[in-house]
Amino acid sequence: MIVLYCILAAVAGAAAALAIYIGLHRRRLNGRKEEILEQAELEGENIKKDRIVQAKEKFLQLKSEHEQYVNEKNSQLREAENRIRQKENSLNQKNEELNRKNKENDSLRQSLQAQKENVERKGEEYEKLISQANRQLEAIAGMSTGEAKQILMENMKAEARSEAQAYINDTMDEARLTASKEAKRIVINTIQRTATETAIENAVTTFPIENDEIKGRIIGREGRNIRALEAATGVEIVVDDTPDAILLSAFDPVRREVARLALHQLVIDGRIHPARIEEVVTKVSRQLEDEILETGKRTCIDLGIHGMNIELVRLIGRMKYRSSYGQNLLQHSREVANICAIMASELGLNPKTAKRAGLLHDIGKVSDQDNELPHALLGAKLAEQYKEKPEICNAIGAHHEEMEMTSVYAPLVLVGDAISGARPGARREVIESYIKRLKCMEDLATAYPGVTKSYAIQAGRELRVIVGAESVSDEQAGRLSTDIAQKIQEEMTYPGQVKITVIRETRSVAYAK
């Protein structure tokens, strides 16, 4: 029993302690809650004050911007108002001036009206006098006024016809004579103002050397260097007893120039062997292409021609190494350009357009495209392809009358070409036919499959054909030389005989790394 009482007392004590603990904990929580609420209210007040300050600052900024905007608008309005006021003053002045002029015009109109009335009155008096005189004449002559007028008109018509016909005949004769003289004057004046030296291109270039030792180095052991040079350039190299000189023979001026520049570099460098020769020839060929482009640009600058397509400029540069009947094509084209410009100025046409057409008139001769067309039509096609004006294209295509002349510049180019080519010593027919024959011979050989290069040398007495070793065998090379010889016999005319040499070279290349 006592134990039971003890247990109950312990349970009651624990419950009392628990109740006391819970009460104390609740009081602490309530105090913490009040503290948190006070802190939150304080932070809320601070945030509210910051927001108010920020809003005031933003308001002040917007107010400042608005005032600045308003000031700018007011300034613009004041300026507009000033302009309007100035215009208004100007209009008022003009209005006053018009009113003054109107008053002057009114007074002038009144004066003219008075003069008109005076003239009309005198005219009536004059008519009365004429009528009176006509009646007296009718009485004296015994015929009416109408009959007299009819007779007088017939006589005047006959006299006028006679005088008009005589005047027309005199005018036409004078026009024919003047036109002929004027045309001759323009042409003669143009020729005199563009008088330039004329030079005949030949097929041989002389390369100067210092001594015979260099000749031996150029020839090489058993002639291997000279053979490599001839194969790489397509130029016949003549080494004979001529002192201090080697002759480079080829009908193509570009090949001769490549050979000359290559020899010059090889002699200066001192290393002359087949591999070096091929390397130098390749390098010189690229340099010559750059020089051709530079020559075309310099020519256009000299003549004052701008905005030309780069491919046309390149074709102009190639003219330097091309001859037409022995006449240098670039010199001929420059001369034709100047002639056309002078004649256009005399006739009141655009000299720049005429000069452009004259410079481009022979570009068909230096193009590799569509060789079956005449060079004039091919030149017109190229000019049209590279966006030249229609009147220039027509002038190029019609300068040999192979196209209808629709441009006013076409006759100028035709006449300029004839003037330049007709100079004494300017052209030589023999060299042109010779070059055409050699070019046809090379084209004939190149048309065969497997042929990489072909060179006509020794004035067309030998044709060297280089074939690719991978596409032509030794047996096929032998048959190829026979086939080319047979075709040349059938299709071409030539003096003497032509030697066809087919060269097939096999190279094995490896690299050590």
Side-chain angles (χ1 to χ4, degrees), residues 8-29:
L8 291 173
V11 170
L18 180 61
I20 293 169
Y21 174 77
I22 291 171
L24 292 173
H25 185 66
R26 281 179 178 173
R27 283 195 295 272
R28 283 198 300 270
L29 286 176

Side-chain angles (χ1 to χ4, degrees), residues 190-191 194-199 303 327-342 358-359 361 416-417 419-423 426:
T190 301
I191 294 173
T194 58
T196 58
E197 295 182 1
T198 56
L303 294 175
Q327 185 182 22
N328 183 271
L329 194 58
L330 181 58
Q331 179 64 29
H332 166 66
S333 297
R334 290 176 65 117
E335 189 174 348
V336 172
N338 289 323
I339 290 171
C340 291
I342 293 172
L359 180 62
H361 81 283
D417 181 52
I419 291 172
S420 177
R423 292 183 181 278

